[in-house]
Amino acid sequence: MVLALADLCIVVASNDESCLNRNLLASPMVKAGVRVHVEREAPSAAVAYNRGIASTSEPLIVFAHQDVWFPEGWEKRLEKAMFELDQLDPDWALAAPFGMSRDGVHLGDVWSTSLGRRVGRAVREPTPVRSFDELVIVMKRASG
């Protein structure tokens, strides 16, 4: 999969403009033009995300918390991961940068604002997990 910025949108539930502006909206890929759909005052993240799905049309939807900041080059790493996923399973539906393996190991290398440190373990290729952390989840719209 060759990923263009126009193929990607970010959907975020927000209840704190300052946090949103300081983090997600300050991310380099957002500044480069990735569309962000913000749902404000939704009664739940599920409602916000479903509204976001209905209000966007890009092939890849990135659901992200308002306090997530995507570092320089994140979209290139995403493109590589999507290509690898398509090779392993063209019918994949969800991916995430952080999750828990079937044997209870935290996979992915992310910064935890609440813990003030990096958590997880880097992986070299897409790896099946038992669960995702909801800080960022990528959905392939075509998966239904």
Side-chain angles (χ1 to χ4, degrees):
M1 165 181 280
V2 175
L3 183 64
L5 293 181
D7 294 332
L8 178 65
C9 70
I10 300 169
V11 173
V12 57
S14 180
N15 63 357
D16 184 334
E17 284 300 310
S18 176
C19 180
L20 178 65
N21 289 323
R22 195 173 55 250
N23 294 288
L24 186 66
L25 296 182
S27 298
M29 73 177 190
V30 172
K31 296 213 177 268
V34 170
R35 182 161 88 99
V36 178
H37 177 85
V38 181
E39 280 292 330
R40 293 173 176 85
E41 300 181 25
S44 69
V47 169
Y49 290 172
N50 280 311
R51 288 177 185 168
I53 292 168
S55 299
T56 61
S57 59
E58 290 82 357
L60 287 178
I61 303 170
V62 177
F63 301 101
H65 284 188
Q66 64 190 355
D67 64 349
V68 166
W69 181 79
F70 293 105
E72 187 74 39
W74 191 86
E75 69 278 10
K76 293 298 179 195
R77 290 190 293 277
L78 176 63
E79 179 180 34
K80 180 180 181 287
M82 299 302 97
F83 177 80
E84 291 171 351
L85 273 171
D86 280 340
Q87 299 303 304
L88 290 170
D89 180 3
D91 296 324
W92 70 270
L94 298 173
F98 192 77
M100 183 178 289
S101 70
R102 292 181 176 134
D103 58 354
V105 175
H106 290 112
L107 298 176
D109 183 18
V110 300
W111 178 264
S112 170
T113 303
S114 62
L115 296 175
R117 63 181 171 88
R118 291 171 92 157
V119 295
R121 179 172 33 176
V123 294
R124 297 189 190 273
E125 60 190 23
T127 305
V129 295
R130 178 175 47 192
S131 65
F132 293 131
D133 187 294
E134 79 284 359
L135 80 146
V136 173
I137 296 176
V138 180
M139 184 181 88
K140 185 163 100 176
R141 187 182 298 274
S143 70

